[in-house]
Amino acid sequence: MNDVHRIIQERQSTRVPFDPNRKITREDLQQILDAGRWSPTAHNMQNFAIVVVDDAEVLEIIGKVKSRISEEFLRENYEQLSFSKEELLEKKTGILGAMFPPSWVDPSKMAEVARESAPMPLTQSIRGSPCLLIVVYDPRKRAPASAGDVLGFMSLGCVMENMWLMAQSLGISLQVLSAFAAPPVEKQVKQVLSIPEELRIAYACRLGYPTGSTKYLRVRRDIADFAHYNKFGNKGI
Ligand SMILES: Cc1cc2nc3c(=O)[nH]c(=O)nc-3n(C[C@H](O)[C@H](O)[C@H](O)COP(=O)(O)O)c2cc1C
């Protein structure tokens, strides 16, 4: 296995708390940003800006922004869940329901949970991270002839993956936080960081060094499950 393959396989989502006192050095940060810089983007538009937040006071203010869980999220999240390790290993896609509070994974309670739950401060998502990368884009600049700007969004995904692999290679853990892109959260975070009105948050990444075990069951389909040779449906090599 070459180094790239090893880092691709070792990269994972790290959802445990990070050590707030173990900062990401500016040298490491530069390397992660440089990996983002060299990402492929549609038409080389480089349709992104990244707001680095590593000032403890700013992190604290962002941590106070509250986020609400939506019924849409709960219902669509449920579709991706398995309720035992065996089920997940069999399905080979999705995640374990045990990663979420029990009331989030009970369809009979989802409407009530979405209606009644107290909004959660982002500090519960940031979980001690000493550094956030907030990736923003300008929705007025779509990739040429790309319906829904799908090519623009793919480009933002390339930035994510490049930075994630670089962080992994430096021994730095990362978790993507989509909650930052949800409209009410996005609006407040943009205000805190003086992000211009016309830009949108695509996602945030929290970086850091984990305080506990990061191991969890990760599954993938086999190549034979998605690869077709010369004609869709032809599984022979
Ligand atoms: C566009 C995108 C959004 C994601 N949003 C979140 C998120 O909000 N929270 C989270 O914990 N993981 C998030 N993830 C991570 C995926 O859940 C994760 O990559 C997937 O379950 C596979 O697990 P692995 O990263 O450990 O290989 C996101 C990943 C992508 C590509």
Side-chain angles (χ1 to χ4, degrees):
M1 196 187 296
N2 69 28
D3 284 353
V4 175
H5 195 182
R6 182 176 55 76
I7 288 169
I8 287 172
Q9 286 206 351
E10 287 175 359
R11 182 218 54 81
Q12 64 159 82
S13 295
T14 304
R15 300 189 175 91
V16 300
F18 292 160
D19 181 349
N21 298 317
R22 237 182 120 186
K23 311 284 182 216
I24 308 297
T25 65
R26 282 288 159 126
E27 292 72 31
D28 284 350
L29 196 52
Q30 283 300 111
Q31 292 207 60
I32 292 168
L33 294 173
D34 200 52
R37 174 174 169 244
W38 281 103
S39 304
T41 55
H43 285 253
N44 194 24
M45 284 175 70
Q46 304 176 49
N47 58 334
F48 61 92
I50 300 174
V51 184
V52 177
V53 186
D54 62 357
D55 179 306
E57 274 177 32
V58 184
L59 283 167
E60 197 182 325
I61 298 170
I62 291 181
K64 288 185 182 145
V65 169
K66 293 200 170 136
S67 128
R68 261 207 120 84
I69 198 80
S70 71
E71 189 178 344
E72 178 192 31
F73 170 83
L74 292 172
R75 295 211 179 279
E76 293 180 6
N77 178 50
Y78 185 76
E79 300 299 312
Q80 305 305 327
L81 300 181
S82 288
F83 292 92
S84 68
K85 288 185 173 175
E86 293 71 30
E87 187 189 348
L88 185 60
L89 287 166
E90 169 83 20
K91 266 173 57 183
K92 296 187 271 187
T93 64
I95 45 185
L96 270 181
M99 282 171 46
F100 299 95
S103 59
W104 287 24
V105 297
D106 179 346
S108 70
K109 294 200 176 124
M110 287 175 184
E112 187 192 335
V113 168
R115 211 176 40 244
E116 311 287 343
S117 298
M120 287 187 313
L122 284 182
T123 186
Q124 289 185 24
S125 305
I126 295 171
R127 310 192 84 190
S129 172
C131 182
L132 297 175
L133 305 179
I134 319 275
V135 178
V136 303
Y137 66 100
D138 186 339
R140 297 167 306 177
K141 296 182 187 162
R142 72 164 188 162
S146 174
D149 197 23
V150 65
L151 298 176
F153 291 118
M154 284 163 61
S155 305
L156 295 167
C158 292
V159 176
M160 177 194 289
E161 182 70 349
N162 261 23
M163 295 198 299
W164 206 338
L165 293 174
M166 179 58 80
Q168 178 65 37
S169 77
L170 296 167
I172 295 169
S173 293
L174 186 152
Q175 181 186 12
V176 178
L177 299 174
S178 303
F180 278 67
V185 173
E186 181 193 33
K187 191 170 176 214
Q188 294 176 71
V189 172
K190 276 171 62 175
Q191 269 168 9
V192 174
L193 300 174
S194 304
I195 295 172
E197 183 64 34
E198 58 276 16
L199 301 187
R200 298 289 317 266
I201 295 180
Y203 53 85
C205 303
R206 68 180 192 113
L207 300 175
Y209 297 93
T211 53
S213 166
T214 59
K215 291 279 160 267
Y216 76 103
L217 178 61
R218 298 173 63 232
V219 294
R220 289 297 191 269
R221 295 175 298 163
D222 299 316
I223 293 171
D225 292 327
F226 61 80
H228 306 253
Y229 294 89
N230 301 308
K231 183 180 177 187
F232 196 91
N234 186 3
K235 296 302 196 135
I237 300 185

